[in-house]
Amino acid sequence: PRESRRGRERDGPPPVRDYRLYLGHGRKHGIDDQNLRELVQTVGQATGDQVKRLLVRELYSFVDVPEEVADLVVGALEAGTLK
């Protein structure tokens, strides 16, 4: 017989949730996929596999990072200055 989904215990950790972060800089400000990835990795101390889906538009950008590093990345980006 099939087990009820509610009655089953789950093995392993809960799924990782990604947060989408908004950055008020885009191509017009010299941002591209590569330097946005590098910025989040160096300033935000995120590893390469933690920097996910990048979207760079003319005036703004988005980057997805896991929940566990989102606050660290946001804090580091807020403290820094983009040129």
Side-chain angles (χ1 to χ4, degrees), residues 2-33:
R2 281 179 75 169
E3 275 183 62
S4 165
R5 288 183 184 215
R6 290 179 210 212
R8 286 190 297 193
E9 289 185 34
R10 296 182 186 221
D11 293 332
V16 175
R17 294 184 181 166
D18 291 339
Y19 280 30
R20 176 161 284 182
L21 307 178
Y22 169 83
L23 182 67
H25 285 70
R27 285 190 299 268
K28 183 177 180 180
H29 307 98
I31 300 291
D32 62 24
D33 285 2

Side-chain angles (χ1 to χ4, degrees), residues 7 11-12 23 35 55-56 70 72 75 78:
D11 293 332
L23 182 67
N35 60 26
L55 178 62
V56 180
L72 179 63
E78 285 178 340

Side-chain angles (χ1 to χ4, degrees), residues 7-80:
R8 286 190 297 193
E9 289 185 34
R10 296 182 186 221
D11 293 332
V16 175
R17 294 184 181 166
D18 291 339
Y19 280 30
R20 176 161 284 182
L21 307 178
Y22 169 83
L23 182 67
H25 285 70
R27 285 190 299 268
K28 183 177 180 180
H29 307 98
I31 300 291
D32 62 24
D33 285 2
Q34 183 62 35
N35 60 26
L36 178 56
R37 179 176 300 280
E38 291 171 2
L39 176 71
V40 173
Q41 288 175 322
T42 56
V43 175
Q45 300 174 3
T47 63
D49 62 330
Q50 290 176 319
V51 180
K52 302 175 184 177
R53 293 185 294 192
L54 299 164
L55 178 62
V56 180
R57 299 290 191 197
E58 190 65 23
L59 299 174
Y60 58 91
S61 303
F62 292 102
V63 60
D64 293 358
V65 296
E67 178 179 31
E68 67 266 11
V69 298
D71 286 338
L72 179 63
V73 171
V74 168
L77 292 174
E78 285 178 340

